[in-house]
Amino acid sequence: MKKRKANLWGGLIAFVIVIIIILLIGIFAARPKPEPIMGEVEASEYRISGKLPGRVAEFYFEEGDQVRKGDTVVFIDSPEIRAKIEQAKGARSAAQAQNAKAHAGAREEQIAGAYEMWQKAEVGVDITKKSLDRVQNLYDKHVVSAQKRDEVEAQYKAAVATAKAAKTQYDMAKNGAQKEDILAAQALVSRANGAVQEAESYLDEIYLRSPIDGEVSERFPKVGELIGTGSPVMAVVDLSDMWLTFNIREDMLKEIAMGKEIRYMVPALGEEVHTAKVTHMKAMMSYATWRATKTNGQFDAKTFAVKARPNEVVANMRPGMTVVLINEK
């Protein structure tokens, strides 16, 4: 009888122990697991574009190729620029010819021709002066009318004016262009030179160069496609300038602060843990998923954009890879 009671108590105690163990397992199993905080690797990316419209003639690098700062990566064919250069050079040649003419003055033949016209006009003055003297004598003797005398006098005055005009033309031809004409011709040459320099400066823009050392991440148009002014042609990513970005709800920011170190891992590269320093925190414009935080009250938790810089170079880490924040606990 005593043995049966002992067995009964032993079984009851064992049953109670099993029940307690099951309850403890249930409690731990039911406890909510901390939500993993996941982010992404990002890097500085530069889009290469040109000032000129044209057609993509040739790419010198493929996607994934390494480029150095200053390397020519794309050639843009632009016949319009070459035509403008020729037009500007033609205008410069005309301005230079005009300038040379202004400095050289009139040719010897022009000077000689102007002198002959002046001498011819002087002969006309001499003849009309003699005619006027004769008519004046006849008028004084009342042989000719006053009208006749006035007509001859008008012819004489016209001949004198013609001679003066011819003398002025001769002086101008002999003295050459005026100072103002020479300065105007020089200004035209300077303007034409500026137009040529401007047109030729665009020639450098048909060869697009990489602004950094990096890797070609994307090529946008295809060879032969037409692009407009400022259209991106190629993207180059700087793999030496990478950072981590996380979108974290504010009730999960307890262990994260500006300047603090965080621990993270990159699943694509294994389970090795790395460290980074928080460099940026900013509330995003939109609200995060609504979550009740109290049994007697609820509020909306905003999401913050958090950036962190790795403390060391992580081999084979690439932009776009997922990163997981390691909980300090």
Side-chain angles (χ1 to χ4, degrees):
M1 192 66 177
K2 291 182 179 180
K3 188 176 181 180
R4 287 183 63 188
K5 288 182 179 181
N7 290 337
L8 183 60
W9 280 106
L12 183 60
I13 292 172
F15 177 75
V16 171
I17 292 173
V18 171
I19 294 299
I20 293 173
I21 292 173
I22 293 174
L23 288 175
L24 291 175
I25 292 174
I27 291 172
F28 284 108
R31 180 180 296 176
K33 296 181 180 180
E35 297 181 21
I37 299 176
M38 304 178 69
E40 185 178 353
V41 181
E42 294 188 11
S44 295
E45 186 177 69
Y46 296 79
R47 294 194 170 191
I48 301 174
S49 58
K51 297 180 180 179
L52 303 177
R55 200 172 296 277
V56 178
E58 186 176 0
F59 284 105
Y60 298 112
F61 291 91
E62 301 290 337
E63 292 180 354
D65 288 347
Q66 298 295 320
V67 296
R68 304 287 294 176
K69 182 178 180 179
D71 284 348
T72 300
V73 294
V74 183
F75 169 56
I76 306 297
D77 185 25
S78 183
E80 294 82 3
I81 294 303
R82 291 194 292 271
K84 287 183 179 180
I85 291 175
E86 293 302 321
Q87 291 173 3
K89 287 182 177 180
R92 182 175 64 180
S93 298
Q96 289 173 339
Q98 186 72 21
N99 184 47
K101 180 179 178 181
H103 280 81
R107 294 183 300 180
E108 293 183 2
E109 294 84 353
Q110 292 175 320
I111 296 174
Y115 178 78
E116 294 298 333
M117 292 298 295
W118 174 41
Q119 293 304 309
K120 179 181 178 180
E122 290 292 342
V123 172
V125 170
D126 185 59
I127 292 175
T128 54
K129 180 66 171 64
K130 291 178 180 179
S131 297
L132 177 61
D133 291 342
R134 295 190 190 100
V135 172
Q136 184 66 39
N137 290 332
L138 294 174
Y139 174 74
D140 292 340
K141 295 177 182 180
H142 304 287
V143 176
V144 297
S145 63
Q147 181 178 355
K148 182 64 176 178
R149 183 188 66 83
D150 292 342
E151 290 176 354
V152 175
E153 184 180 14
Q155 292 175 359
Y156 168 70
K157 291 181 178 179
V160 171
T162 301
K164 288 182 179 179
K167 178 64 166 56
T168 301
Q169 292 295 324
Y170 169 67
D171 291 339
M172 289 178 61
K174 185 174 65 174
N175 295 331
Q178 295 183 357
K179 180 180 179 181
E180 292 79 2
D181 294 333
I182 294 175
L183 292 176
Q186 292 175 342
L188 288 175
V189 172
S190 298
R191 180 180 178 182
N193 285 330
V196 172
Q197 291 174 1
E198 180 184 8
E200 289 181 341
S201 69
Y202 286 121
L203 275 179
D204 192 53
E205 295 297 330
I206 65 178
Y207 294 97
L208 305 186
R209 296 174 174 83
S210 174
I212 60 165
D213 296 343
E215 179 181 297
V216 178
S217 60
E218 191 172 0
R219 298 192 328 192
F220 301 106
K222 295 181 175 61
V223 173
E225 288 187 349
L226 189 66
I227 61 171
T229 302
S231 299
V233 179
M234 179 181 288
V236 177
V237 62
D238 185 0
L239 297 178
S240 65
D241 184 26
M242 290 193 290
W243 63 89
L244 316 176
T245 60
F246 302 91
N247 295 330
I248 305 176
R249 203 170 54 230
E250 60 181 315
D251 58 324
M252 302 174 69
L253 289 173
K254 300 179 182 66
E255 303 297 331
I256 299 175
M258 283 291 297
K260 184 177 179 180
E261 284 194 353
I262 59 174
R263 300 167 67 243
Y264 70 95
M265 61 175 290
V266 184
L269 303 179
E271 298 183 357
E272 185 178 356
V273 177
H274 310 279
T275 60
K277 185 177 181 180
V278 177
T279 58
H280 176 80
M281 295 180 66
K282 181 181 179 180
M284 299 179 69
M285 295 300 294
S286 60
Y287 283 95
T289 304
W290 176 87
R291 179 185 175 186
T293 57
K294 295 182 180 180
T295 56
N296 60 352
Q298 299 169 348
F299 64 88
D300 291 337
K302 276 188 177 180
T303 296
F304 278 71
V306 178
K307 293 183 180 179
R309 293 276 180 179
N311 291 330
E312 70 280 338
V313 176
V314 180
N316 300 321
M317 188 167 71
R318 307 278 303 177
M321 285 186 174
T322 299
V323 293
V324 180
L325 194 61
I326 306 294
N327 195 320
E328 293 293 337
K329 296 180 180 180

